[in-house]
């Protein structure tokens, strides 16, 4: 039996392309953007954070350092994604001694967009940066599978839209006008979604795991539905109906591809979302239970402890939701 949320409603319509369904809501939450004008020499270090980050270089010099790949030079028009927000360093040259963001002048251009300027006499670098907390659970399994650092030019060679988008971002960042920050942020949403899709398409085919499941024409529709509305009153019957299969065939195929049954997968998905809501949104346990469709706080608490081995109250008291995303970093 699947966990039993109380909201009765018809299963949402899910298109054939499950990856498009997952990506169609790719408007990143908790976003901060920064347009940076930095004069050499500069160097900034950023700790590990549970955020997707990107850096777009309109004009260099700019280098990035990660533990896994060391120093890499970024050229004009390069875009870098850090899907899991690993620790990294940005600098105008690898040998520049660490600096502090406090040496920069920061001007707020809106609620989530800032301009960052570091004065000096050296070569000027123009960057557009972003820190993003993705919509809860929507892309978590996919993000987990991605490499820690992705350069857009490495995965987007066959996408005819990426080149013009990068060119447009270069023009917008180099010659800012009224509304440029908002336009750049919308371009960043679209570009990041397309790069994620490019990476999926470039990744070798496999017969098991989350990527195999999202590509499966039957199981993929079910995964998209679960992630879009995890609090829905899902049953084996209506999930099999979405997959267009019998209950037996669906259950066997789901377990074979993902290594666990649909009920277990859905329960873990709900508890992952619950941890995020309890730790970052300030919602009460009762509010989270209602959000996920449980009939009572007690039934939610039992399910939560069964999956996570701790009570939701403990998680709410101990996990801090604070995320430092000042001026796009």
């Amino acid at each position: 039996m699947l966990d039993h949320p109380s909201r009765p409603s018809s299963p949402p319509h899910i298109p054939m392309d499950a990856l498009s369904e997952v990506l169609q809501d790719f408007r990143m939450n908790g976003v901060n953007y920064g347009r940076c004008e930095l004069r050499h020499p500069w160097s900034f270090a950023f700790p590990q954070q549970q955020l997707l980050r990107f850096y777009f270089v309109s004009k260099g010099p700019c280098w990035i350092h990660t533990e896994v790949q060391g120093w890499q030079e970024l050229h004009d028009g390069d875009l870098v994604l850090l899907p899991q927000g690993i620790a990294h360093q940005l600098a105008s040259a690898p040998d520049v001694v660490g600096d502090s963001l406090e040496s920069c002048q920061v001007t707020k251009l809106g609620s989530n967009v800032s301009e960052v300027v570091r004065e000096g006499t050296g070569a000027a670098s123009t960057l557009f940066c972003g820190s993003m907390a993705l919509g809860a659970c929507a892309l978590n399994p996919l993000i987990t599978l991605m490499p820690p650092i992705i350069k857009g030019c490495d995965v987007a060679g066959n996408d005819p839209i990426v080149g013009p988008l990068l060119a447009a971002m270069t023009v917008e960042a180099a010659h800012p006008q009224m509304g440029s920050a908002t336009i750049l942020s919308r371009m960043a949403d679209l570009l990041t979604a397309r790069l994620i899709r490019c990476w999926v398409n470039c990744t070798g085919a496999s017969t098991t795991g989350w990527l195999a499941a999202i590509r499966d024409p039957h199981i993929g529709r079910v995964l998209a539905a679960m992630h879009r509305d995890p609090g829905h009153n899902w049953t084996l019957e209506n999930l099999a109906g979405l997959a267009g299969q019998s209950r037996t065939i669906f259950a066997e195929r789901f377990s074979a591809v993902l290594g666990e049954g649909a009920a277990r997968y859905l329960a873990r998905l709900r508890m992952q979302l619950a941890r995020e809501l309890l730790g970052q949104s300030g919602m009460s346990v009762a509010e989270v239970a209602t959000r996920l469709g449980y009939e009572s706080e007690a039934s939610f608490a039992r399910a939560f402890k069964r999956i996570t081995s701790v009570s939701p109250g403990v998680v709410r008291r101990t996990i801090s939701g604070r995320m430092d995303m000042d001026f796009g970093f």
Side-chain angles (χ1 to χ4, degrees), residues 18 45 97 242 328:
V97 177
L242 278 176

Side-chain angles (χ1 to χ4, degrees), residues 3 27 52 60 122 159 267:
D3 277 344
R27 178 62 58 80
L52 183 151
D159 189 324

Side-chain angles (χ1 to χ4, degrees), residues 259-301:
E260 62 183 342
R264 175 69 179 177
Y265 182 92
L266 180 60
R268 288 196 307 103
L269 176 65
R270 286 172 175 160
M271 296 311 114
Q272 181 183 17
L273 175 56
R275 287 185 69 93
E276 294 178 9
L277 293 174
L278 289 167
Q280 297 174 7
S281 69
M283 294 176 65
S284 68
V285 175
E287 288 171 331
V288 173
T290 299
R291 170 80 169 267
L292 292 177
Y294 282 85
E295 295 178 350
S296 67
E297 181 179 341
S299 63
F300 163 72

Side-chain angles (χ1 to χ4, degrees), residues 133-150:
L134 297 174
C137 290
L139 288 172
N140 284 346
L142 182 58
I143 293 298
T144 300
L145 293 173
M146 296 178 77
I149 181 170
I150 298 175

Side-chain angles (χ1 to χ4, degrees), residues 26 59 231 252 260:
F26 193 78
K59 178 183 177 183
E252 291 176 351
E260 62 183 342

Side-chain angles (χ1 to χ4, degrees), residues 115-134:
E115 183 174 62
V116 183
V117 176
R118 188 183 190 280
E119 301 288 353
T121 58
S125 300
T126 303
L127 313 177
F128 184 66
C129 314
S131 295
M132 303 153 242
L134 297 174

